[in-house]
Amino acid sequence: MNTKLRQFFIFFIGLGVSIGLDQFTKHLAVVHLKGQKPFVLIKGVFEFYYSENRGAAFGMLQGRQGFFFLIAAAVILAVLWAVYRMPAGKRYLPLMCSLFLLVSGAVGNMIDRLTQKYVVDFLYFKLINFPIFNVADCYVTIAAACLVLLIMIYYKDEDMACFALKKKE
């Protein structure tokens, strides 16, 4: 298997596993938490609390499913373009992992929006009254933080040149 094909294979395997984990945890939340009192893991700190989010992060933009679909589609297309342009090799593995986590989060929540018209959230940090979130949200947050660190610290300009659009002469 050539290295570029292997790179796409690894990307899509990672994508499948992470989306599967997100959907599995949401299924568990529906089965075990819906209609129930929150399951307290650490009293006053962290609980599993079922919630149906019809908006974006922190419940913003309620009922704008078409908008979320377009944003997710744009993210997916941009990431696929980046993976296509990315040189094969171990140097770009952290970037590829960050990108498949970003897409996994977008797709995981998009699946919920398309099938149920809301996103299942169930992780709640009660200590700081942080908005309820899910595994897909964790993927997006971790991916975004990693991308910032990778681009600012790890990769040099010449490493990122492969993503530059070529000027027409």
Side-chain angles (χ1 to χ4, degrees), residues 64-101:
R64 303 278 169 90
Q65 303 306 333
F67 175 74
F68 299 130
F69 181 80
L70 289 175
I71 295 297
V75 167
I76 292 164
L77 289 173
V79 167
L80 289 174
W81 175 84
V83 172
Y84 173 75
R85 297 285 301 248
M86 186 185 312
K90 291 181 183 176
R91 175 128 182 97
Y92 291 92
L93 189 59
L95 181 59
M96 188 173 67
C97 290
S98 297
L99 291 175
F100 85 64
L101 280 178

Side-chain angles (χ1 to χ4, degrees), residues 66-142:
F67 175 74
F68 299 130
F69 181 80
L70 289 175
I71 295 297
V75 167
I76 292 164
L77 289 173
V79 167
L80 289 174
W81 175 84
V83 172
Y84 173 75
R85 297 285 301 248
M86 186 185 312
K90 291 181 183 176
R91 175 128 182 97
Y92 291 92
L93 189 59
L95 181 59
M96 188 173 67
C97 290
S98 297
L99 291 175
F100 85 64
L101 280 178
L102 182 65
V103 171
S104 297
V107 170
N109 284 339
M110 188 166 58
I111 290 170
D112 283 13
R113 286 190 178 97
L114 289 172
T115 60
Q116 304 165 149
K117 305 290 187 231
Y118 58 85
V119 174
V120 173
D121 289 333
F122 58 92
L123 302 170
Y124 178 47
F125 277 105
K126 188 172 186 171
L127 179 67
I128 58 173
N129 194 27
F130 195 79
I132 305 167
F133 58 100
N134 60 43
V135 173
D137 298 332
C138 294
Y139 293 159
V140 171
T141 303
I142 292 166

Side-chain angles (χ1 to χ4, degrees), residues 40-47 126:
V40 177
L41 211 56
I42 303 170
K43 186 176 175 143
V45 177
F46 184 77
E47 30 186 75
K126 188 172 186 171

